[in-house]
Amino acid sequence: MRKVTKAVIPAAGFGTRFLPATKAVPKEMIPIVDTPTIQYIVEEAVNSGIKDILIITGRGKDAIMNHFDNSFELETVLERENKTELLKAVREVSQMVDVHFIRQKEQKGLGHAVSYAKQFAAGEPIAVMLGDDVVVNDKKPCLKQMIDKYEELGGSILGVQTVDHSQVSKYGIVDGEKISDRTYKVNSLVEKPRPEDAPTDVAILGRYIITPGIFECLERTPKGAGGEIQLTDALFLLAEHEPVYAYDFEGKRYDVGNKMGFLQATVEFALRREDLRDEFSEYLKNLNAQL
Ligand code: UTP
């Protein structure tokens, strides 16, 4: 079985839920505390054993490229001023992993974005990671859990968790049979169903391991929900040819593509930081007393 060493991060969306910030700043560069959301995703990939990352970008997304590049002038200044911790942080980002970029020329949907990864995948399975979902698991990163599942089962793996029934229309929803603890074999998939039409509340949450057969399926996928070429629809076609599984990953997931999820992540990540925890929790306690 081919090992999963490549990850694709689609980041070409307009980020309309974060306008006006995303007019000039890519949504993926909006920081949680002091780190852009896309860096958390790249760190999860690296900590899961990924060696190469392809970021699908679009117009107005150059800041993402700059973030993962060397910054010679900045490093020189930090070195001269003996700011070693900051220098380390800045250097680490550019040295973490090989990051490649390709532009999606028209925003025709997530499935269309992933089809740009065909050459990069070169016949190997790929991880697909969406920046809207940041998952915290201090023991084993979400993606590593999924790679382990892939190595056990040998088919595509969709990262899922159960969501509130009222929320199903935001996600791809899985209908399947449970084959073991936390694992389902997928029978059908539906993108963004109305709650009354949803077969289950098991939602795909921004993490996938996908076998190379997906690219041929993407070519055959017509426009779906929202007039976009949906990855979920292509995965459903794939499931007709080969087994596709869903894995209920362990970890706290933040929907940072939405304002409420983003605020929760900001507060909780700050509380996990040693340099901020005491002062910030004191502030929150005082604030709470005033509410
Ligand atoms: P979303 O549906 O969250 O869209 O895309 P968005 O533009 O990022 O954000 P909103 O909803 O307008 O606020 C899901 C993922 O698919 C990528 C997005 O970048 C995001 O990671 N995507 C979507 C593309 O790469 N290309 C597309 O054409 C559409």
Side-chain angles (χ1 to χ4, degrees):
M1 187 193 303
R2 303 295 292 261
K3 272 201 152 343
V4 184
T5 62
K6 298 174 179 176
V8 176
I9 306 179
F14 288 118
T16 47
R17 284 171 292 170
F18 270 85
L19 281 168
T22 46
K23 196 175 165 205
V25 176
K27 159 169 100 169
E28 297 75 14
M29 289 303 295
I30 296 179
I32 301 174
V33 186
D34 53 8
T35 302
T37 55
I38 196 162
Q39 190 177 324
Y40 292 102
I41 306 295
V42 169
E43 285 171 1
E44 180 187 327
V46 172
N47 292 333
S48 302
I50 294 295
K51 306 286 181 224
D52 280 286
I53 293 179
L54 177 68
I55 300 180
I56 320 265
T57 67
R59 263 189 300 282
K61 299 274 185 170
D62 292 357
I64 301 178
M65 243 188 252
N66 295 337
H67 186 69
F68 291 102
D69 195 1
N70 286 335
S71 179
F72 180 72
E73 298 84 348
L74 175 63
E75 288 175 28
T76 311
V77 172
L78 293 174
E79 206 160 15
R80 198 173 55 217
E81 294 177 358
N82 273 325
K83 295 191 168 153
T84 38
E85 279 302 306
L86 287 177
L87 181 64
K88 190 165 160 264
V90 165
R91 280 205 176 129
E92 264 171 12
V93 185
S94 55
Q95 292 170 357
M96 230 170 351
V97 64
D98 281 332
V99 184
H100 315 263
F101 296 90
I102 191 165
R103 272 189 184 217
Q104 184 187 14
K105 295 198 180 62
E106 264 181 287
Q107 273 84 338
K108 291 195 209 163
L110 173 60
H112 180 249
V114 170
S115 68
Y116 277 78
K118 187 174 177 181
Q119 280 197 8
F120 171 76
E124 294 178 26
I126 50 167
V128 174
M129 309 173 77
L130 303 190
D132 282 347
D133 294 297
V134 173
V135 184
V136 176
N137 183 318
D138 294 332
K139 289 197 202 100
K140 201 193 237 192
C142 174
L143 189 67
K144 179 74 176 97
Q145 297 173 42
M146 296 190 44
I147 291 175
D148 288 352
K149 251 302 145 192
Y150 169 78
E151 288 179 356
E152 178 193 325
L153 297 170
S156 297
I157 313 280
L158 317 178
V160 298
Q161 284 187 341
T162 301
V163 298
D164 196 83
H165 187 64
S166 62
Q167 301 295 304
V168 290
S169 55
K170 288 163 63 182
Y171 302 99
I173 298 295
V174 173
D175 191 7
E177 66 195 82
K178 203 162 189 178
I179 55 167
S180 65
D181 190 30
R182 298 188 163 273
T183 313
Y184 306 81
K185 179 155 183 299
V186 173
N187 290 332
S188 71
L189 296 170
V190 49
E191 181 65 21
K192 300 191 172 71
R194 291 182 304 180
E196 56 272 34
D197 299 331
T200 69
D201 299 337
V202 178
I204 309 176
L205 298 177
R207 296 290 181 281
Y208 311 74
I209 307 289
I210 309 182
T211 56
I214 194 67
F215 295 107
E216 186 263 326
C217 295
L218 281 166
E219 281 165 22
R220 291 194 285 124
T221 303
K223 283 183 192 165
E228 297 191 330
I229 297 176
Q230 297 291 352
L231 181 60
T232 305
D233 296 342
L235 285 163
F236 191 15
L237 290 179
L238 186 69
E240 289 173 359
H241 300 291
E242 53 179 85
V244 173
Y245 303 94
Y247 173 66
D248 183 358
F249 60 79
E250 290 180 66
K252 174 132 198 208
R253 166 251 175 189
Y254 299 88
D255 177 9
V256 300
N258 142 356
K259 290 186 191 83
M260 196 58 205
F262 178 79
L263 289 171
Q264 287 163 352
T266 302
V267 171
E268 294 183 31
F269 278 48
L271 289 172
R272 264 198 291 272
R273 285 268 296 253
E274 254 173 56
D275 56 335
L276 295 168
R277 188 190 303 135
D278 295 347
E279 203 181 333
F280 189 53
S281 61
E282 202 49 44
Y283 163 76
L284 288 179
K285 274 184 216 144
N286 290 335
L287 187 65
N288 193 33
Q290 291 168 35
L291 292 177

